[in-house]
Amino acid sequence: MSLLSDLVHLSLCHSTEKIIAEYIWIGGSGMDIRSKARTLPGTVSDPSKLPNWNYDGSSTGQAAGDDSEVILYPQAIFKDPFRKGSNILVICDAYTPAGDPIPTNKRHKAAKIFSDPKVSSEEPWYGIEQEYTLMQKDVNWPIGWPVGGFPGPQGPYYCGVGADKAIGRDIVDAHYKACLYAGIGISGVNGEVMPGQWEFQVGPVEGISSGDQVWVARYLLERIAEISGVIVSFDPKPVPGDWNGAGAHCNYSTKSMRNDGGLEVIKKAIAKLQVKHKEHISAYGEGNERRLTGKHETADINTFSWGVANRGASVRVGRDTEKEGKGYFEDRRPASNMDPYVVTSMIAETTILG
């Protein structure tokens, strides 16, 4: 195995100018991340200089077998923490050969919203709190839990320390460093309320880049868990009963909200979100009704509410924002399996263009 390990970690920088580019895209379910690699003649830093590529959409649930070709358009480049050197990760979106976005391409619509002059002039910032659960490979059960049984009740696990509380920390720390290496704006990690559940935060990041970075961070997490023989679950309620679910809280601000008098702008934005509560809920992730019950730090899915420092509300405004009269707010409704392109652009569309 030592020879295999040596080859896996072999550096190419002293033997060739060629690099490996890993093209990443989202498959037909909306949550299955796909990727494949190609050789390029040299270093590339501008995604517009990268070639388009194709894949078999009939094998990803995105095209029919008799017309299966789907085209990948490179959109953003990140450093590759696995191959290192000048090798890169490339986040892509998907189009028909005629150049039309395929139905599962959520980035295309989001990019149009973020390119609207009214939106871009507001410089929308996002901080995504991505929760997830590490699961045992052969059984659908969190790591560290006895198969068919339960650990002690919630309480000691949130930000906990110790082998009986912080389960999977090696994966979490490896992912943290991989994100930093890749150039993702990861701002922190922490253990969550349910054992085996963790969170990483990406942001503040502006506009469409927020979605790009969250998707690549998810890709890195899946790859690291793959190496560790562990499954990553983004299910919003992986264990029924008296256990916390998993969300993807979206912290949001615009230039007007960050400037003096911004609290009034925030209140007006929240009012707009209330009017479109049902539309947002329908786009905030599948199975969210199992999580948004009014318990376990959530609001009831059918009722919109907001408050200062209230983690049981749909939208939370922080104490600092209230005190300073400007800042940001947190939309606590998105599920852990939400599409960040959809959520970030929808919030901007409702609060700026609505």
Side-chain angles (χ1 to χ4, degrees), residues 243-294:
W243 303 96
N244 273 37
H249 303 157
C250 182
N251 298 276
Y252 170 70
S253 71
T254 63
K255 185 165 65 175
S256 297
M257 295 176 190
R258 298 187 293 268
N259 290 338
D260 290 343
L263 183 57
E264 291 306 310
V265 180
I266 288 172
K267 290 179 179 179
K268 291 177 181 178
I270 292 172
K272 292 179 179 180
L273 290 174
Q274 182 172 7
V275 171
K276 293 196 172 182
H277 176 61
K278 289 184 178 180
E279 292 92 328
H280 280 253
I281 286 294
S282 68
Y284 274 14
E286 292 187 15
N288 212 8
E289 72 282 353
R290 293 182 283 115
R291 167 180 162 262
L292 296 180
T293 61

Side-chain angles (χ1 to χ4, degrees), residues 132-145 167-168 171 194-198 225-226 228-235 237-240:
Y132 60 93
T133 309
L134 298 174
M135 309 290 279
Q136 300 174 48
K137 184 179 179 181
D138 298 321
V139 292
N140 188 34
W141 209 238
I143 62 170
W145 290 38
I167 306 165
I171 294 172
M194 188 181 81
Q197 189 181 81
W198 294 82
E226 171 189 318
S228 303
V230 171
I231 304 298
V232 179
S233 172
F234 293 105
D235 190 292
K237 188 71 173 180
V239 181

Side-chain angles (χ1 to χ4, degrees), residues 51-113:
N52 292 347
W53 205 6
N54 65 74
Y55 68 92
D56 172 17
S58 69
S59 295
T60 63
Q62 293 170 297
D66 59 354
D67 187 13
S68 64
E69 191 167 290
V70 180
I71 312 301
L72 293 172
Y73 287 21
Q75 298 294 353
I77 293 173
F78 298 85
K79 293 169 65 178
D80 187 339
F82 303 108
R83 298 186 176 109
K84 302 185 178 69
S86 298
N87 302 299
I88 56 176
L89 306 175
V90 183
I91 188 72
C92 307
D93 57 353
Y95 295 80
T96 67
D100 299 317
I102 65 172
T104 55
N105 180 352
K106 306 304 182 184
R107 190 187 191 281
H108 179 78
K109 180 181 178 181
K112 288 180 67 175
I113 291 170

Side-chain angles (χ1 to χ4, degrees), residues 4 92 114 118 147 190 205 278-279 288-289 297 320:
L4 177 60
C92 307
F114 285 121
K118 290 183 180 179
V147 176
N190 61 267
V205 180
K278 289 184 178 180
E279 292 92 328
N288 212 8
E289 72 282 353
E297 301 180 62
D320 287 345

Side-chain angles (χ1 to χ4, degrees), residues 52 57 97 115 153 181 202 208-209 252 255 260 262 285 287 301 309-310 315 337:
N52 292 347
S115 65
Y181 181 96
V202 174
I208 194 70
S209 293
Y252 170 70
K255 185 165 65 175
D260 290 343
I301 194 169
N310 184 355
V315 171
N337 60 2

